Amino acid sequence: MRITPTTELKNRFRVLQGRMQQLGVEAAILVQNSDLFYFTGSIQQGVYYLPVEGEPVYLVRKDFGRARMESGLKNILPLESLRNLPDQLQSMGLSLPETLGLELDVLPVLHYQRLEKLFSPAVMQDISPAVRSVRAIKSEYEISIMKDCALIMDRIFQHAPSVIAVGKTDIEVAAELECFARKEGHQGLIRFRGFNSEVFFGQVFSGTDSAIPAYLDTPLGGLGPNPAVGQGASYKKIAADEPFIIDLITAFDGYLVDQTRTMAVGKIPERLSDAYFAMLKIQEKLFQIARPGVSWGSVYEQCRQLAVELGYQDHFMGPTGAQVSFIGHGVGIEVDEYPLIARGFNDQLLEENMTFAFEPKAVFPGLGAVGVENTWRVSAEGIKRLTYSDESLLEL
Amino acid sequence: MRITPTTELKNRFRVLQGRMQQLGVEAAILVQNSDLFYFTGSIQQGVYYLPVEGEPVYLVRKDFGRARMESGLKNILPLESLRNLPDQLQSMGLSLPETLGLELDVLPVLHYQRLEKLFSPAVMQDISPAVRSVRAIKSEYEISIMKDCALIMDRIFQHAPSVIAVGKTDIEVAAELECFARKEGHQGLIRFRGFNSEVFFGQVFSGTDSAIPAYLDTPLGGLGPNPAVGQGASYKKIAADEPFIIDLITAFDGYLVDQTRTMAVGKIPERLSDAYFAMLKIQEKLFQIARPGVSWGSVYEQCRQLAVELGYQDHFMGPTGAQVSFIGHGVGIEVDEYPLIARGFNDQLLEENMTFAFEPKAVFPGLGAVGVENTWRVSAEGIKRLTYSDESLLEL
């Protein structure tokens, strides 16, 4: 169990203060779990108040003692009451801001309206793009945790062949892998930033189920156990001669990595194994072109173009009619961070120490899906692997 | 896998239309997963538009075909684009509302601002209290699913003694119970309505860890695997002669039940076993006083008063300094539904077919926690049990 070092927390708020200066935001209030964890090292509930200059204050409603234990920040105090927040800040010598940055992408309206009233006549501004872009650039400390995640991930995938068997259901396999993952250190909880987005360890599919589209913005969908979940593994039984695809997120000490591997139960159709090797080629393309200064959108376009050239236009990143317009997504504390290797992001550039998952996949309704996914780190010269499990099309 | 019957969906929107009439809300837009599931039978992403009179419309962005498969509603159409939503509604013969109800307790600000602009000059109103009060009264259909949850829950608790052993960690036991639960039908995902609230199956604690306070509004907290999770089971090893408390949520076909049982690994101190029997007495008190027409707050006060009389003032519902001001909470699709058996709710009354969990617990820092929890249904005459596992203080 790591406690985030104070130097980390300092570097993080100083970078955000730089963005706030540019935006003309005099103070920011952050309250969402992932942002709290990034800027305080804890998710004990309260308010992280960051003035554009000087030190931040972490005012904690529950549990204060625990926040003191988990956070390396200098100024941690009990939150008297949200109603008195402006008074409490002023009593600490802080002047109230005229422009206040809030996480408008995740903050529910009722919370917002309360803060807006409390800090009136301050102008509220969305600080979430700045927070997300700060969080997109990882420190060596963060990357070292993600490397630990990749170690756990590899153990899970080494274990997988021993639990997959004809006649078992996809959910049985998922349950056994989840249990193994937890014993290896997986924290269980996985965080999404997007509203209504939920994920439970990831996706485990045999054969046809992987081609069923679902509500989430993911290339594979899945029937899931019921319409209330509406995605992921179902009670489908594993048959011989079908692909088995495992797309898992490993979460450890607050950070995530994302990895997909495809296996063959028996002999899968050549069309599917060909598609798998094509997806590896698209990954190879990524490796050739991704480096600092290249736009997210251009990486997407070039890799998608290759998929089209290889003949997978109607299968790439989803079944026809439900194809998603991305191939990769940032990972860190959340599974939908920046950068987005997606259509249209032509002005946003890759930067050193961004980390992202890249997941070329091909979907064949009635047969199943194949693909590969790894989590990558942008380095000075190109990109480096964080996840590293064997990529051969394992025959079970 | 159940598909929600059309008659259910009709009854549900008609009750909400009645509330809307009283509130003067001409239309409601619901988008959050739990509300979508309740009113459409699906969580495929889109917009559920309910005029105060007439039939609702479910406009689906992704995946439309699947929404058609899962939802028994009459009017299901592809959502052209959110930008064109008002036009699309008008082209269907619907007039745009002057007052529009939205889920302001969960809707993020950016989503809200977009809808506000699209429907300008309509006045936005918070429809969430009405939605929550409609959802609080369960149908026989909903209760039948919750009874299935209780069956699965009982199997998990019958399995528990076989996986608890001195020397194992709490997380190992949790992982094995989670795996078993999934194989018995547990859907994995559990939904909270509250911002920042997360839960992963529940809590599994041996001895002292249960007394560590955490950020969530729960009587027990727990160290958890790391500060990013900050609650629940940790890597503490189970020792002899300490209490083992298991508080699990079982989720099946979209619905939940909540149950806690306490076991003794070896011999636990008499002080703790006495406290356990006191908690059973408080549950017995609940059974005597809870019935339609009694206020949520008065149930809370009477049960808390008994805890004080029995000598547990400083231990009841949390360790000193971190005691929570509730004993029970509604359960259904979410784990924080109405009613709240909590301080201050003196005007809200229990009604027939409300369902709630009641969890008297006593916490002893340095020793551990004991308690019991069941999920109950309010009947015409009193309350009836949904969960029913053996409540004896099992010695392992």
Side-chain angles (χ1 to χ4, degrees):
Chain A
M1 190 175 99
R2 289 172 172 91
I3 295 294
T4 313
T6 299
T7 49
E8 278 287 314
L9 300 177
K10 274 191 185 167
N11 291 340
R12 294 173 188 182
F13 77 70
R14 283 183 186 146
V15 181
L16 183 57
Q17 282 174 327
R19 306 287 171 112
M20 289 163 62
Q21 202 111 46
Q22 290 163 10
L23 296 166
V25 172
E26 291 175 22
I29 286 182
L30 305 180
V31 296
Q32 185 240 27
N33 282 345
S34 300
D35 291 338
L36 275 185
F37 178 62
Y38 184 78
F39 286 104
T40 74
S42 174
I43 61 163
Q44 300 304 312
Q45 288 303 290
V47 164
Y48 178 76
Y49 183 87
L50 180 65
V52 67
E53 283 179 352
E55 295 274 329
V57 189
Y58 185 18
L59 297 167
V60 183
R61 190 184 67 76
K62 187 179 185 232
D63 180 84
F64 171 65
R66 202 158 162 173
R68 289 285 295 264
M69 176 180 98
E70 294 172 348
S71 175
L73 290 173
K74 203 164 71 183
N75 302 318
I76 306 175
L77 291 161
L79 175 66
E80 291 162 11
S81 80
L82 193 62
R83 200 175 345 136
N84 291 335
L85 177 58
D87 290 346
Q88 194 177 354
L89 291 170
Q90 283 183 306
S91 75
M92 297 173 72
L94 293 160
S95 57
L96 298 187
E98 287 180 22
T99 54
L100 179 61
L102 298 173
E103 303 145 306
L104 299 194
D105 64 336
V106 292
L107 197 67
V109 178
L110 292 183
H111 292 237
Y112 169 77
Q113 289 177 339
R114 210 162 161 202
L115 288 170
E116 191 182 31
K117 209 168 158 188
L118 281 172
F119 285 89
S120 170
V123 176
M124 305 292 125
Q125 207 165 315
D126 185 15
I127 197 72
S128 66
V131 167
R132 295 184 74 184
S133 68
V134 169
R135 281 182 39 195
I137 313 293
K138 269 67 179 177
S139 68
E140 289 304 323
Y141 170 77
E142 291 180 283
I143 288 171
S144 72
I145 305 176
M146 292 175 74
K147 285 181 177 168
D148 286 348
C149 291
L151 274 165
I152 296 171
M153 185 71 96
D154 188 52
R155 284 190 215 117
I156 300 168
F157 275 81
Q158 291 206 29
H159 182 66
S162 71
V163 305
I164 299 169
V166 170
K168 263 179 153 173
T169 67
D170 291 352
I171 283 182
E172 280 178 287
V173 171
E176 288 172 24
L177 290 179
E178 289 156 14
C179 179
F180 182 85
R182 289 269 277 160
K183 290 184 177 183
E184 291 290 331
H186 193 302
Q187 71 186 31
L189 281 177
I190 293 166
R191 294 196 172 103
F192 248 112
R193 192 167 189 95
F195 179 61
N196 268 345
S197 296
E198 300 166 324
V199 68
F200 187 75
F201 284 94
Q203 301 177 326
V204 170
F205 297 127
S206 65
T208 50
D209 252 27
S210 56
I212 297 174
Y215 74 92
L216 259 189
D217 260 334
T218 48
L220 312 185
L223 192 60
N226 59 49
V229 173
Q231 57 159 317
S234 78
Y235 297 103
K236 177 193 170 301
K237 282 196 175 163
I238 301 168
D241 305 326
E242 57 181 13
F244 199 93
I245 190 161
I246 304 177
D247 178 350
L248 288 186
I249 296 163
T250 292
F252 176 71
D253 276 358
Y255 284 80
L256 319 171
V257 296
D258 201 349
Q259 178 177 294
T260 302
R261 293 294 182 266
T262 307
M263 299 165 195
V265 182
K267 280 275 172 215
I268 61 170
E270 210 176 308
R271 196 174 168 211
L272 294 191
S273 51
D274 285 353
Y276 179 72
F277 296 116
M279 297 306 114
L280 286 179
K281 277 185 197 156
I282 294 167
Q283 180 176 263
E284 184 56 32
K285 177 84 182 173
L286 169 83
F287 186 73
Q288 289 159 14
I289 62 174
R291 59 181 180 277
V294 177
S295 82
W296 308 353
S298 101
V299 173
Y300 170 79
E301 290 303 340
Q302 292 178 69
C303 291
R304 189 180 171 277
Q305 187 51 40
L306 178 56
V308 172
E309 284 164 19
L310 293 170
Y312 296 98
Q313 178 156 12
D314 296 335
H315 305 275
F316 191 56
M317 301 309 290
T320 314
Q323 287 167 296
V324 296
S325 55
F326 74 91
I327 319 176
H329 52 89
V331 290
I333 298 170
E334 289 163 323
V335 75
D336 49 355
E337 297 197 354
Y338 293 160
L340 302 169
I341 311 300
R343 184 176 299 152
F345 290 86
N346 300 316
D347 298 329
Q348 290 91 332
L349 308 182
L350 288 181
E351 293 179 54
E352 200 175 342
N353 294 329
M354 283 182 166
T355 50
F356 65 92
F358 186 80
E359 50 176 330
K361 286 171 185 164
V363 181
F364 300 86
L367 291 172
V370 296
V372 68
E373 177 176 31
N374 285 294
T375 301
W376 302 85
R377 161 199 196 164
V378 182
S379 65
E381 305 295 315
I383 58 171
K384 286 181 179 163
R385 282 167 164 281
L386 290 171
T387 54
Y388 56 84
S389 301
D390 181 13
E391 288 177 355
S392 56
L393 186 59
L394 199 65
E395 287 188 12
L396 304 175
Chain B
M1 189 174 100
R2 287 173 174 91
I3 297 292
T4 313
T6 299
T7 49
E8 279 287 313
L9 300 177
K10 275 191 184 165
N11 291 339
R12 293 173 188 181
F13 78 70
R14 283 183 185 146
V15 181
L16 183 57
Q17 283 175 326
R19 306 287 170 113
M20 287 163 64
Q21 202 112 46
Q22 290 163 10
L23 295 166
V25 172
E26 292 174 22
I29 285 181
L30 306 180
V31 296
Q32 185 240 26
N33 281 345
S34 300
D35 291 339
L36 275 186
F37 179 63
Y38 184 77
F39 286 103
T40 75
S42 174
I43 61 162
Q44 301 304 313
Q45 289 303 290
V47 164
Y48 177 78
Y49 183 86
L50 180 66
V52 68
E53 284 179 352
E55 293 276 328
V57 189
Y58 184 19
L59 297 167
V60 182
R61 190 184 67 76
K62 189 179 184 232
D63 182 81
F64 171 66
R66 200 158 164 172
R68 289 284 293 264
M69 178 180 96
E70 293 171 349
S71 175
L73 289 174
K74 201 164 68 182
N75 304 317
I76 307 176
L77 291 161
L79 176 66
E80 291 163 13
S81 79
L82 193 61
R83 201 176 343 134
N84 291 335
L85 176 59
D87 289 346
Q88 194 176 353
L89 292 170
Q90 283 182 306
S91 75
M92 297 174 70
L94 292 159
S95 57
L96 297 185
E98 287 181 22
T99 53
L100 179 62
L102 299 172
E103 302 145 305
L104 299 193
D105 63 337
V106 293
L107 197 66
V109 178
L110 292 184
H111 293 237
Y112 169 76
Q113 290 176 340
R114 214 166 156 200
L115 288 170
E116 192 182 31
K117 210 168 158 187
L118 281 173
F119 286 88
S120 169
V123 176
M124 304 292 125
Q125 207 165 315
D126 185 16
I127 198 71
S128 65
V131 167
R132 296 183 72 184
S133 68
V134 170
R135 282 183 37 195
I137 311 294
K138 269 68 179 177
S139 67
E140 288 304 322
Y141 171 77
E142 292 180 283
I143 287 171
S144 72
I145 305 176
M146 294 175 73
K147 284 181 178 168
D148 285 347
C149 291
L151 273 165
I152 296 171
M153 184 73 96
D154 188 51
R155 285 190 214 118
I156 301 168
F157 275 81
Q158 290 206 30
H159 182 66
S162 71
V163 304
I164 299 168
V166 170
K168 263 179 152 172
T169 67
D170 290 352
I171 282 182
E172 281 178 286
V173 172
E176 290 173 22
L177 290 180
E178 289 156 14
C179 179
F180 181 84
R182 289 269 276 159
K183 290 184 178 183
E184 292 290 331
H186 193 300
Q187 72 184 33
L189 281 177
I190 293 165
R191 295 199 170 102
F192 247 113
R193 193 167 189 93
F195 179 60
N196 269 343
S197 295
E198 299 165 323
V199 69
F200 187 75
F201 285 92
Q203 300 177 325
V204 169
F205 297 127
S206 66
T208 50
D209 251 28
S210 56
I212 297 174
Y215 74 93
L216 261 188
D217 260 333
T218 47
L220 313 184
L223 193 59
N226 59 50
V229 174
Q231 58 159 317
S234 79
Y235 297 104
K236 176 191 173 302
K237 283 195 174 163
I238 302 167
D241 304 325
E242 56 182 14
F244 198 92
I245 189 161
I246 303 177
D247 178 351
L248 288 186
I249 296 163
T250 292
F252 176 72
D253 276 357
Y255 285 79
L256 319 170
V257 297
D258 201 350
Q259 177 177 295
T260 302
R261 294 293 183 266
T262 306
M263 299 165 195
V265 182
K267 279 274 169 213
I268 60 169
E270 208 175 309
R271 197 177 167 206
L272 294 191
S273 51
D274 285 353
Y276 179 72
F277 296 116
M279 297 306 113
L280 286 180
K281 276 185 197 155
I282 294 166
Q283 179 177 264
E284 183 56 32
K285 177 84 182 173
L286 170 83
F287 185 75
Q288 288 160 13
I289 63 174
R291 61 182 179 277
V294 178
S295 83
W296 308 352
S298 102
V299 172
Y300 171 79
E301 289 304 339
Q302 291 177 69
C303 290
R304 190 181 168 278
Q305 187 52 39
L306 178 57
V308 171
E309 283 164 19
L310 293 170
Y312 295 98
Q313 177 156 14
D314 298 334
H315 305 274
F316 191 56
M317 300 310 289
T320 314
Q323 288 166 296
V324 296
S325 55
F326 74 90
I327 320 176
H329 52 89
V331 290
I333 298 170
E334 291 164 322
V335 75
D336 49 354
E337 297 197 355
Y338 293 159
L340 302 168
I341 311 299
R343 184 176 300 153
F345 290 85
N346 300 318
D347 299 328
Q348 290 91 331
L349 308 182
L350 288 181
E351 293 178 54
E352 201 174 340
N353 294 329
M354 283 182 167
T355 50
F356 66 90
F358 185 80
E359 49 176 331
K361 286 170 184 164
V363 182
F364 300 86
L367 291 174
V370 296
V372 69
E373 177 176 31
N374 284 295
T375 300
W376 301 84
R377 161 197 196 165
V378 182
S379 65
E381 305 294 314
I383 57 172
K384 285 181 180 163
R385 282 166 164 280
L386 290 172
T387 54
Y388 56 84
S389 302
D390 181 14
E391 288 176 354
S392 57
L393 186 59
L394 199 65
E395 289 189 10
L396 305 174

